[in-house]
Amino acid sequence: MTRTLRIAAALTATGTLAALLMSGTALAATAPGAPGAKPTFSYAGKDGIGTSYEAYVQGRYQDGGVTGPVSKVWFSLARGVITETMQGMIHEAQLRELQFAVKGEGFVHTEYDDMDTQVDYLHKDEAGRPLSLAYKVVNRDRQGRYEIEKHVFTDPDRDTLFVRTIFRALKTGITPVLLADPQMAGTGSNDKADTVGGTLNAVEGTHSLVIKADKPFVKTSVGFVGASDGLSQLRERGALAVYDTTGTKAGNVALAGELPALSAGQEATYDVVVAFGADRAAANALADATLKAGYAATLAKFNGQGEAVGWEDYIQGLAPLKDLAAMATDGGSLAFVSALVLKAQEDKTYAGALIASLSAPWGETVSTEKLATGYKAVWPRDFYQCAMALLALGDTATPLAAFNYLTTVQVSAQTKGNKGANGWFLQKTHVDGTIEWVGVQLDQTAMPIMLGWKLWQAGVVDDATLKAMYPAMLKPAADFLVKGGKIGLDWNKATITPPSSQQERWEEQPGHSPSTTAAIVAGLISAAEIADKLGQTEDAKTYRATADTINAAIEARMFTTQGTYGNGRYFLRVNQNDNPNDKGPVNPANGQQGLTENVYLDGGFLELVRYGVRAPNADSIVDSLGELDDMSIPDHFRVKYTFTFAGDPATYPGWRRYGNDGYGEDVRNGGNYGTGELTGGMGPGQRGRVWPIFTGERGHYELARANAKPGGVTAADLDAIRMTYVRGMEKFANDGLMIPEQVWDGVGVSPKGYKLGEGTNSATPLAWSHAEYVKLLRSVRDRQVWDLYAPVVARYGK
């Protein structure tokens, strides 16, 4: 029994424990209120993400390489605080939130709710472009009484998060209190906590967390969120109640550590470390080692300064990056950050596993009672975008690892539970291949083939690797694009008959869609080229013949001549049969009723041009632009919007996914997606917003259209694309240079803090958004669309 527990027992025996607990002066107590409030993720609009750079050893992550031991910690920042922090695999959140409260005379403030925030990078080049994912966050009192400066990064040799914190009392005395909300093992409902050893500790099973500072806390406490946590105590009573354990009951726990009070004009600096280990002893040892290494040495190694290999070395190894940055209109800062962000969103146990985002959309209303990944998972479509962007940056190692990884998420006879067709790629998985969603999306089966062809053409995949991967991955995928088959995995028992897909690229509708069809055709032609190289001539004939048949029917299947808008001639979003003029049904989705196919507009047809399936001046493409860009269409069905930003007289275009999209906040009350109804769940007021990726997609199309003119693209064309589409994407990025999934379009009731043209709470950063920006820069530099497939152009897109 510890000293404090012995004192508590003695106090209980004398009948004074209750009184001491009421006064908050008890030396030992078990926190009441188990299990606490329902746990959730945190705010998804991240202002920054970070992890250390780790070099591959023979194409995978392992200790002993030039970067030393591998650190497997990722963090994010939102609204001035540290949010989801992962350790282990990239989706395994161990910490939901870490912030500081400030207690002063007559007030208790938190960084998240009560301060103005500024985010910057700690390590930049002479042009001011970030060279690592180490951040400087400054949170200021709105009445000028104090400020908090934090430097946030990870220890590249250990599973620890480093937070140097500088407190400045400017006008009055303040007391800082560290507040932490653990989310061990990826869930927030089964944790325990204590303050043994004067540190803040949390545990679930084989996952332990220890928080300690280079100077001791004045007071520590643990509790259950919403009942006995430190913030609740501060707000209700003005002081921490000293609970040193949450006891035997698990739940949603919180940690608090009070630091010494500061008088007016005083400044204090603390180095706070959050360490993760298989048990408390292991985590505590890592915390001690990081604190011993110290701020300067740990940050220098993270950055890659001096003899250390880190992020600066990765940036310097990207030969095209400075040329791409020259195509930007912001001096290249977003290009440098995009390179860092794309590489950072790769798992470090499964090399090449590229996720969609280090966030969970609308996270603070998404339960974490059970393990959930949010967007911290693998979708082969987003995966393709990221791999192609990294290749555009000059990183060949990561795309090669990504290509080799893809068999992990391809359905085969060895896939657990599979009793159906093989060759297709899983809709969504954990990075270790654990299945989450099993819908069949034919673009996600085509894109791994497309990536393989691009890497082979670039010399990244050699002939020997191509020969090995053809029977292992590429041929099964291509054969599925030809034949389809009956699915037999989990709930999915559908029969797939290409080119009709069970789901299109937005994962909602069955049938024929232009974007999916573009990928299928490009995938089959890529497969044919590879088959020819390997002497598989019959396969090549089959793939080309199938692509020819699909290509010949594109307009007949998906281009309406009797539409609702404009002159009635445009590509449909999706068609469930072979007749685009029969006003056939589209299924309900995201709280929206299913309407007829003719009322849905979207820009997916531009992918036909991107991959070379259609020339940019093809009649069907040009005919569809007017309707896509028609801003007189009522808001619910309108797709295009324009934005202006402070200090810039120019107007920048943006597009929604499609009309009648419900993947967004509720127009009636500003509620998060999935929470708009009084009873919770989906509601008809939900509305999908503008996605920055479509500004990039349109920029790619405009480049292709300029190239199709007599004489080709001119310097004036390139300038127009840069100043409209490149700059537009830059404008959509937030202060931390993170590009969102969606930006606020001003339609309906605005959620608190939303501003026109700025990111919503959907997901920021979206890896695909950064990938599209990088690819647009590369396309402008090359004067040709980066994703263009020459054999496809030669066959169909002239």
Side-chain angles (χ1 to χ4, degrees):
M1 183 180 292
T2 66
R3 175 179 178 272
T4 53
L5 288 175
R6 287 196 300 271
I7 293 172
L11 289 170
T12 302
T14 61
T16 59
L17 178 59
L20 286 169
L21 284 174
M22 291 292 290
S23 70
T25 59
L27 295 177
T30 298
K38 298 291 186 182
T40 67
F41 284 110
S42 61
Y43 193 81
K46 311 302 185 184
D47 299 310
I49 65 168
T51 189
S52 61
Y53 169 69
E54 306 291 344
Y56 292 137
V57 177
Q58 297 180 338
R60 58 193 181 96
Y61 288 112
Q62 58 183 1
D63 295 345
V66 294
T67 48
V70 176
S71 172
K72 298 181 181 180
V73 174
W74 297 258
F75 67 89
S76 60
L77 305 172
R79 296 186 169 182
V81 309
I82 295 164
T83 52
E84 281 113 20
T85 301
M86 283 62 63
Q87 180 266 336
M89 287 186 286
I90 199 168
H91 63 270
E92 293 181 308
Q94 313 292 349
L95 179 69
R96 176 186 180 271
E97 197 168 274
L98 187 146
Q99 65 169 321
F100 287 92
V102 173
K103 181 176 62 171
E105 186 175 349
F107 69 87
V108 173
H109 288 174
T110 66
E111 292 182 289
Y112 186 88
D113 291 317
D114 303 304
M115 305 180 197
D116 292 328
T117 297
Q118 183 178 2
V119 180
D120 201 356
Y121 290 82
L122 284 172
H123 187 44
K124 304 178 185 180
D125 68 7
E126 64 282 357
R129 299 176 298 203
L131 294 174
S132 87
L133 292 170
Y135 294 89
K136 175 183 177 181
V137 180
V138 179
N139 293 325
R140 295 183 174 90
D141 174 42
R142 290 164 186 156
Q143 296 183 35
R145 290 168 290 189
Y146 60 83
E147 70 178 26
I148 305 171
E149 179 179 325
K150 297 184 293 191
H151 301 176
V152 187
F153 49 94
T154 63
D155 184 335
D157 286 344
R158 301 170 184 90
D159 282 359
T160 57
L161 175 70
F162 202 116
V163 187
R164 166 156 284 191
T165 309
I166 306 165
F167 300 97
R168 300 183 181 98
L170 304 177
K171 292 185 178 180
T172 185
I174 64 167
T175 299
V177 182
L178 183 148
L179 303 172
D181 184 357
Q183 197 171 79
M184 307 305 296
T187 65
S189 58
N190 197 37
D191 300 342
K192 296 179 181 179
D194 64 54
T195 62
V196 171
T199 57
L200 302 176
N201 314 304
V203 63
E204 180 181 336
T206 58
H207 297 274
S208 290
L209 169 156
V210 170
I211 301 177
K212 67 190 327 180
D214 61 341
K215 304 177 186 70
F217 294 110
V218 172
K219 187 187 297 185
T220 56
S221 183
V222 298
F224 293 96
V225 173
S228 53
D229 63 281
L231 181 57
S232 295
Q233 295 295 328
L234 289 171
R235 285 178 170 166
E236 292 171 8
R237 304 167 57 256
L240 288 181
V242 183
Y243 303 122
D244 60 1
T245 179
T246 54
T248 59
K249 294 180 180 179
N252 184 8
V253 304
L255 317 172
E258 185 174 309
L259 296 167
L262 281 73
S263 57
Q266 186 178 0
E267 178 177 296
T269 299
Y270 294 90
D271 288 339
V272 177
V273 170
V274 185
F276 307 93
D279 55 39
R280 179 180 301 171
N284 195 60
L286 289 173
D288 287 340
T290 295
L291 287 171
K292 182 178 180 180
Y295 169 83
T298 304
L299 178 59
K301 191 159 192 178
F302 182 90
N303 290 338
Q305 295 170 281
E307 296 298 317
V309 176
W311 277 118
E312 185 176 331
D313 301 276
Y314 177 74
I315 287 291
Q316 290 177 346
L318 302 176
L321 178 56
K322 289 189 176 179
D323 286 348
L324 269 58
M327 299 298 103
T329 73
D330 69 341
S333 290
L334 184 57
F336 275 58
V337 169
S338 294
L340 297 167
V341 163
L342 286 166
K343 179 62 177 174
Q345 296 186 100
E346 176 197 14
D347 189 58
K348 295 177 185 175
T349 301
Y350 295 88
L354 303 169
I355 64 165
S357 176
L358 271 178
S359 65
W362 297 282
E364 76 277 24
T365 51
V366 176
S367 172
T368 57
E369 292 179 272
K370 297 181 180 179
L371 178 67
T373 61
Y375 277 6
K376 297 184 282 286
V378 173
W379 279 267
R381 175 177 43 257
D382 298 62
F383 185 101
Y384 165 85
Q385 310 294 341
C386 296
M388 285 294 293
L390 287 163
L391 184 65
L393 286 163
D395 178 348
T396 57
T398 309
L400 178 59
F403 181 65
N404 290 328
Y405 167 85
L406 279 166
T407 55
T408 305
V409 295
Q410 186 176 29
V411 177
S412 69
Q414 285 70 49
T415 300
K416 185 178 180 180
N418 179 38
K419 298 179 181 177
N422 300 325
W424 57 286
F425 285 81
L426 292 159
Q427 179 185 358
K428 178 192 178 187
T429 69
H430 298 186
V431 293
D432 63 358
T434 299
I435 298 171
E436 283 198 62
W437 298 346
V438 294
V440 177
Q441 300 169 15
L442 293 180
D443 61 339
Q444 295 209 133
T445 294
M447 286 175 171
I449 307 171
M450 296 160 63
L451 177 62
W453 185 84
K454 282 285 191 181
L455 295 177
W456 173 49
Q457 291 297 297
V460 175
V461 169
D462 60 23
D463 289 354
T465 301
L466 195 70
K467 184 176 181 180
M469 292 297 275
Y470 183 75
M473 181 178 76
L474 300 173
K475 177 176 167 54
D479 287 348
F480 189 84
L481 293 177
V482 172
K483 302 173 185 177
K486 183 172 177 56
I487 308 303
L489 187 59
D490 197 32
W491 59 263
N492 198 342
K493 304 296 188 291
T495 297
I496 308 300
T497 307
S500 180
S501 183
Q502 188 176 38
Q503 296 175 353
E504 34 65 72
R505 70 170 170 168
W506 305 126
E507 307 190 292
E508 297 168 358
Q509 300 292 339
H512 304 283
S513 82
S515 60
T516 298
T517 303
I520 293 170
V521 172
L524 285 169
I525 295 301
S526 297
E529 294 287 307
I530 294 168
D532 272 343
K533 169 65 179 179
L534 299 176
Q536 303 296 320
T537 55
E538 290 303 312
D539 285 351
K541 289 178 182 177
T542 298
Y543 301 151
R544 288 195 180 94
T546 304
D548 289 348
T549 300
I550 294 170
N551 173 75
I554 285 175
E555 280 76 11
R557 280 181 171 142
M558 292 173 286
F559 184 83
T560 183
T561 58
Q562 301 172 29
T564 302
Y565 310 109
N567 64 3
R569 297 175 58 83
Y570 51 86
F571 273 108
L572 301 173
R573 177 197 167 200
V574 67
N575 181 19
Q576 295 187 11
N577 57 34
D578 288 343
N579 184 353
N581 291 316
D582 67 352
K583 296 182 172 57
V586 174
N587 295 348
N590 294 316
Q592 308 305 302
Q593 62 178 318
L595 304 173
T596 54
E597 61 196 17
N598 52 298
V599 303
Y600 291 85
L601 297 169
D602 89 334
F605 66 90
L606 296 177
E607 297 295 89
L608 293 164
V609 177
R610 180 195 290 257
Y611 300 140
V613 180
R614 285 292 177 273
N617 54 7
D619 289 344
S620 59
I621 300 294
V622 175
D623 277 347
S624 300
L625 291 173
E627 288 79 11
L628 180 69
D629 292 343
D630 187 350
M631 295 174 63
S632 69
I633 295 171
D635 277 322
H636 193 70
F637 300 104
R638 174 178 160 192
V639 180
K640 183 179 180 181
Y641 288 77
T642 57
F643 301 84
T644 56
F645 298 88
D648 187 342
T651 299
Y652 300 96
W655 288 263
R656 299 167 66 205
R657 295 193 303 176
Y658 56 84
N660 199 43
D661 182 10
Y663 189 59
E665 295 83 359
D666 198 295
V667 297
R668 303 165 299 179
N669 53 29
N672 278 353
Y673 170 77
T675 65
E677 298 303 279
L678 293 176
T679 57
M682 300 297 171
Q686 293 171 184
R687 183 179 188 281
R689 309 295 170 172
V690 165
W691 291 49
I693 60 169
F694 301 128
T695 299
E697 287 188 358
R698 186 56 171 266
H700 276 103
Y701 169 74
E702 295 299 339
L703 177 61
R705 179 155 65 170
N707 252 326
K709 298 185 307 181
V713 65
T714 65
D717 293 328
L718 293 176
D719 282 343
I721 292 166
R722 290 178 60 248
M723 297 309 297
T724 301
Y725 303 104
V726 170
R727 190 168 179 80
M729 293 197 77
E730 291 164 358
K731 290 292 186 179
F732 289 138
N734 63 26
D735 290 344
L737 299 178
M738 304 287 110
I739 312 179
E741 176 188 77
Q742 300 183 44
V743 298
W744 179 242
D745 55 20
V747 178
V749 174
S750 174
K752 181 181 178 181
Y754 279 24
K755 296 179 181 178
L756 193 68
E758 295 186 3
T760 71
N761 188 14
S762 55
T764 305
L766 187 70
W768 187 349
S769 297
H770 285 273
E772 185 67 18
Y773 176 71
V774 165
K775 290 193 290 181
L776 182 57
L777 293 177
R778 180 65 187 252
S779 298
V780 171
R781 192 206 77 162
D782 293 353
R783 297 183 168 224
Q784 179 173 289
V785 174
W786 176 247
D787 285 300
L788 195 66
Y789 288 78
V792 178
V793 176
R795 199 168 185 88
Y796 309 119
K798 293 180 179 178

